[in-house]
Amino acid sequence: MAFDYEKYLRPGKLPHIWCPGCGHGIVMKGLIRAMDTLKLDMKNTAIVSGIGCASRLPGYIDCCTLHTAHGRAAAFATGVKMAKPEMNVILCGGDGDGTAIGGNHFIHACRRNIDMTYIIMNNYIYGMTGGQFSPCTPTGHKASTTPYGNPDPNFDIAKLAIGAGATFVARGTAFHANQIDKLIAEAIQHKGFSVVEILDDCPTTYGRRNKYKSVIEMMNRLKEVAVPVKAAEKMTAEQLQGKVLTGVLYKDDSKSDYTTEYAKIIERAQAKK
Amino acid sequence: MAKKVEFLQGNEAAAHGAIYAGCNFFGGYPITPSTEVSEVLSIELPKIGGKFIQMEDEIGAMAACLGASLTGAKVLTSTSGPGLSLKQELIGYGCIAEIPCVVYNVMRGGPSTGMPTGPSQSDVMCAKWGTHGDHATIALMPASVQECYDMTAEAFSLAEKYRMPVHVLPDEIVAHMRERIEFREPGEIEITPRKAPTVPPEQYKPYDTSFGDVPPLADFGSGYRYHVTGLNKMQDGFPTTKAEVVQAEEERQVRKVDANIDDIVKFEEYMLEDADVVVVAYGSTSRSARYAVNVAREQGVKAGMFRIKTFWPFPDKQIKALAAKVKGFVIPEMNLGMCSIELERCAQGKVPVLGIFRVDGEPINPDQIVEKIKEVK
């Protein structure tokens, strides 16, 4: 029997705003399957986002949803989780939202290791505003504000998350749709701050400026560059040139999460009273 | 039983006033001269099972407060000038999404870094107009340590009652001076709880105006699933650009305060019955003004004071009534004439408005005010 996505969707809210060929819908389906796998209580689940195409995702899903201001998802979500640690808190958004204007909140959520899952849809561009370059636009590539090619070096979101203290970091792609739900489910189950970067595509504002003739070509690129971490172990540095590792890149179960630690603060304060 | 009495600083008193009102979440970022609020709450909140978090920046602190408030927490943040500038983005979010929260902002010299330890009253317009777009504002002006306690507690009730951010604006003098204060007994200050939904989850809409201009707000995680956005929204919380809906919703969000000005606005009248000259004052400046009024009376000038306790919404009605019967207003303030603009608007040219404006980090002394009172003919 086909998977029933509708029971997780808000009635009357489709069609979504995403362009034909955009991978955000694939990610949303992956998230829904992950929520179904884990049998998450939707009444007790919050999805928090910032601003941008990817940040419109929460509106379609029937739980507690919070579409915040640009870049602020992680900070709002931290408030939700601190105040009600028993809630499942999932964040989503794009690369510009999460790593440029929201970069400070992102690294500090990683550092605190607060038990939330952040799904970053990385399509290398600010899509909603019409295709300006983001911190993830590859150097040399074209955006509406880099007409001569992007002079900026770009972030590796996964490395940034690991460096900042996230205790679960995974990467998938919109092409590898069947892997997305598994990565997200594992991330949600992880007790601590988890980051799932999904390499995505934006045919409308990124693809057409960078000589991708079709969505299929963009999807095929994701297929070609992705190398599962296991397979990469057997590959030479030369073979890995230009490739991107996918799967669970980092996992550390030894560290305590933030709200557990704060519960200890409360115990200490009350013992002193 | 004797009341608990302590000798406290304004900022410390504010923290205790917050606890009195049921504050159980604080999100902040260190900034002079407001940090004592967070220091006290970092001790007190965990004792009552509340949460204290120091965020990575001022914007994050505001965001954490709004997120926590949506779960039903009673939230406070504290800051000062530069921090208020940063928080404006999300104060606006709190206005449009209608999320209760209290912003305790200690006024120091500005703009920018200005004089971090110097007193000022120059954030009164920033509190009203700092965030972009039309919105209602409530701002309270404590003039004593006791009022830092009381008004912070009252701010929580106003935030819940009108479902919006509420400012408490002590100047640095009030925030840092020490006075005897009484801790309030339960019931002494009215604590208004959040209006909870009375309909089952499937019928709930977060901006349902059939319940009036302030719709009930459900807690995240309490069984009610709904959407919150900073976009202009419909009654069900989802975004819209429909002209008539946006117009009606924007007007409602301003009307919820405008239609209740008499409930919100508080003030003190001092020797106004027969006054020819009215000193309009707020915060620590009102303490000099009271002294100046006494001195002027001794010298045969019929002076009085109108003390603003609620700066926003502005006490238009009271000021207009005074303008019709007095010879003039004197307005001492630690800025270059911010309240003065409002007074002139209300006086409508009927009587002169004489200002004493100081931005040098020094308090306005009574002699300056007495001199100015005598200038009113």
Side-chain angles (χ1 to χ4, degrees):
Chain A
M1 209 177 82
F3 186 88
D4 179 18
Y5 290 97
E6 271 189 37
K7 67 175 178 178
Y8 289 94
L9 294 170
R10 286 188 163 119
K13 297 301 170 194
L14 293 179
H16 55 66
I17 64 154
W18 301 315
C19 303
C22 169
H24 293 351
I26 298 169
V27 180
M28 182 163 80
K29 288 175 84 174
L31 169 61
I32 289 173
R33 290 195 306 277
M35 293 170 105
D36 187 74
T37 303
L38 300 175
K39 303 277 174 280
L40 291 191
D41 175 6
M42 300 299 269
K43 296 191 297 293
N44 212 29
T45 300
I47 307 182
V48 185
S49 68
I51 293 292
C53 296
S55 287
R56 288 301 186 95
L57 185 152
Y60 305 116
I61 301 186
D62 196 6
C63 59
C64 301
T65 54
L66 178 53
H67 176 225
T68 74
H70 200 17
R72 313 300 173 214
F76 273 80
T78 297
V80 172
K81 186 70 184 180
M82 266 296 269
K84 256 192 190 161
E86 65 274 24
M87 285 190 84
N88 311 304
V89 181
I90 298 162
L91 296 78
C92 67
D95 46 307
D97 182 66
T99 68
I101 192 165
N104 201 30
H105 308 306
F106 174 57
I107 58 173
H108 287 275
C110 293
R111 175 179 62 83
R112 286 188 195 100
N113 195 33
I114 186 162
D115 186 21
M116 312 191 292
T117 297
Y118 195 174
I119 302 163
I120 303 188
M121 287 160 253
N122 180 4
N123 60 4
Y124 328 107
I125 206 82
Y126 286 92
M128 190 169 261
T129 47
Q132 296 75 30
F133 74 101
S134 86
C136 298
T137 305
T139 308
H141 282 216
K142 295 227 170 118
S144 73
T145 47
T146 55
Y148 308 108
N150 178 23
D152 285 27
N154 55 296
F155 268 144
D156 179 327
I157 294 175
K159 278 188 186 161
L160 179 65
I162 295 166
T167 49
F168 180 99
V169 179
R171 188 190 283 128
T173 88
F175 176 85
H176 302 87
N178 291 334
Q179 189 192 24
I180 294 174
D181 52 334
K182 292 170 189 73
L183 293 177
I184 294 175
E186 198 176 340
I188 293 172
Q189 276 180 302
H190 175 76
K191 186 90 175 151
F193 195 70
S194 50
V195 177
V196 181
E197 178 192 14
I198 306 293
L199 300 180
D200 212 332
D201 68 333
C202 178
T204 307
T205 74
Y206 175 74
R208 69 187 170 91
R209 285 196 178 89
N210 289 285
K211 299 200 170 110
Y212 285 101
K213 291 193 181 70
S214 67
V215 173
I216 294 165
E217 201 185 313
M218 293 191 84
M219 283 290 167
N220 276 330
R221 189 198 69 90
L222 291 177
K223 180 187 172 188
E224 283 156 21
V225 298
V227 176
V229 270
K230 276 267 156 58
E233 284 168 10
K234 296 173 202 139
M235 289 167 71
T236 64
E238 204 170 54
Q239 287 170 316
L240 285 170
Q241 196 70 30
K243 302 287 185 188
V244 183
L245 298 190
T246 58
V248 178
L249 308 179
Y250 181 78
K251 190 173 178 175
D252 180 355
D253 288 320
S254 72
K255 292 197 178 116
S256 182
D257 69 288
Y258 195 72
T259 56
T260 300
E261 287 304 300
Y262 198 82
K264 292 179 193 165
I265 297 280
I266 291 176
E267 265 177 42
R268 232 176 283 162
Q270 293 185 340
K272 259 188 155 181
K273 200 155 65 171
Chain B
M1 207 177 82
K3 272 190 186 170
K4 187 179 172 188
V5 171
E6 282 202 39
F7 187 63
L8 290 184
Q9 197 185 54
N11 284 343
E12 294 166 346
H16 290 288
I19 300 266
Y20 173 89
C23 173
N24 55 3
F25 186 96
F26 177 91
Y29 184 81
I31 186 165
T32 303
S34 77
T35 37
E36 294 84 1
V37 180
S38 46
E39 285 168 354
V40 171
L41 289 173
S42 71
I43 298 167
E44 297 300 325
L45 279 174
K47 285 187 195 167
I48 56 166
K51 311 290 166 65
F52 170 93
I53 189 165
Q54 183 172 305
M55 291 295 286
E56 53 275 8
D57 58 32
E58 296 277 2
I59 304 171
M62 196 69 219
C65 283
L66 295 175
S69 182
L70 283 170
T71 71
K74 286 185 135 184
V75 304
L76 173 73
T77 188
S78 70
T79 190
S80 182
L84 185 65
S85 293
L86 287 164
K87 287 187 191 310
Q88 293 296 351
E89 169 192 312
L90 298 183
I91 289 173
Y93 191 95
C95 290
I96 196 166
E98 299 180 78
I99 304 173
C101 59
V102 177
V103 180
Y104 179 90
N105 172 62
V106 182
M107 294 187 284
R108 72 187 223 192
S112 191
T113 313
M115 274 201 286
T117 54
S120 154
Q121 295 178 315
S122 57
D123 295 348
V124 290
M125 286 295 175
C126 187
K128 172 69 183 155
W129 303 111
T131 196
H132 63 279
D134 287 294
H135 57 278
T137 301
I138 297 177
L140 312 180
M141 316 301 293
S144 65
V145 173
Q146 185 72 56
E147 280 191 345
C148 285
Y149 181 104
D150 293 355
M151 286 187 178
T152 302
E154 286 159 10
F156 278 89
S157 285
L158 290 165
E160 297 294 343
K161 196 169 180 181
Y162 296 103
R163 210 182 139 175
M164 61 185 282
V166 171
H167 297 262
V168 183
L169 293 178
D171 51 68
E172 187 274 342
I173 294 174
V174 168
H176 273 166
M177 70 185 179
R178 288 185 180 272
E179 289 182 310
R180 175 190 185 275
I181 79 148
E182 285 179 1
F183 280 51
R184 300 298 182 186
E185 296 292 324
E188 221 179 317
I189 297 175
E190 193 189 342
I191 303 301
T192 311
R194 188 171 297 183
K195 192 157 72 173
T198 49
V199 297
E202 57 278 12
Q203 286 168 30
Y204 177 70
K205 288 184 284 185
Y207 306 96
D208 190 344
T209 55
S210 63
F211 294 95
D213 281 346
V214 186
L217 179 58
D219 299 344
F220 271 10
S222 69
Y224 290 78
R225 290 173 283 176
Y226 62 97
H227 187 61
V228 178
T229 177
L231 290 160
N232 281 108
K233 78 281 177 189
M234 300 178 286
Q235 300 208 358
D236 64 3
F238 289 91
T240 184
T241 53
K242 226 178 234 174
E244 67 274 18
V245 177
V246 173
Q247 179 82 18
E249 274 290 280
E250 282 284 300
E251 285 180 358
R252 174 182 63 77
Q253 281 172 217
V254 172
R255 184 175 63 233
K256 69 182 178 183
V257 165
D258 278 358
N260 291 291
I261 284 181
D262 289 340
D263 174 56
I264 299 165
V265 168
K266 288 187 177 171
F267 51 86
E268 181 196 347
E269 295 172 310
Y270 182 67
M271 296 193 169
L272 284 185
E273 303 78 25
D274 61 343
D276 289 329
V277 184
V278 175
V279 183
V280 178
Y282 54 96
S284 69
T285 311
S286 68
R287 300 168 75 111
S288 293
R290 191 184 308 273
Y291 192 93
V293 165
N294 293 341
V295 172
R297 287 263 169 184
E298 280 166 21
Q299 297 177 7
V301 184
K302 285 182 186 167
M305 174 175 70
F306 181 88
R307 179 162 75 91
I308 293 173
K309 291 165 89 172
T310 310
F311 200 103
W312 303 114
F314 198 73
D316 282 30
K317 194 167 79 179
Q318 291 74 16
I319 300 292
K320 281 177 182 167
L322 286 170
K325 64 177 195 181
V326 302
K327 289 182 180 164
F329 291 115
V330 169
I331 167 71
E333 49 184 340
M334 289 188 283
N335 58 52
L336 292 177
M338 293 184 181
C339 184
S340 185
I341 297 169
E342 292 300 302
L343 285 183
E344 283 179 2
R345 179 177 61 76
C346 294
Q348 297 173 309
K350 287 175 190 156
V351 289
V353 176
L354 306 184
I356 305 160
F357 308 137
R358 279 194 94 151
V359 288
D360 57 358
E362 294 296 322
I364 293 170
N365 64 50
D367 292 350
Q368 287 178 282
I369 303 173
V370 174
E371 258 172 60
K372 202 57 91 176
I373 288 172
K374 289 179 183 167
E375 281 177 34
V376 178
K377 296 292 174 222

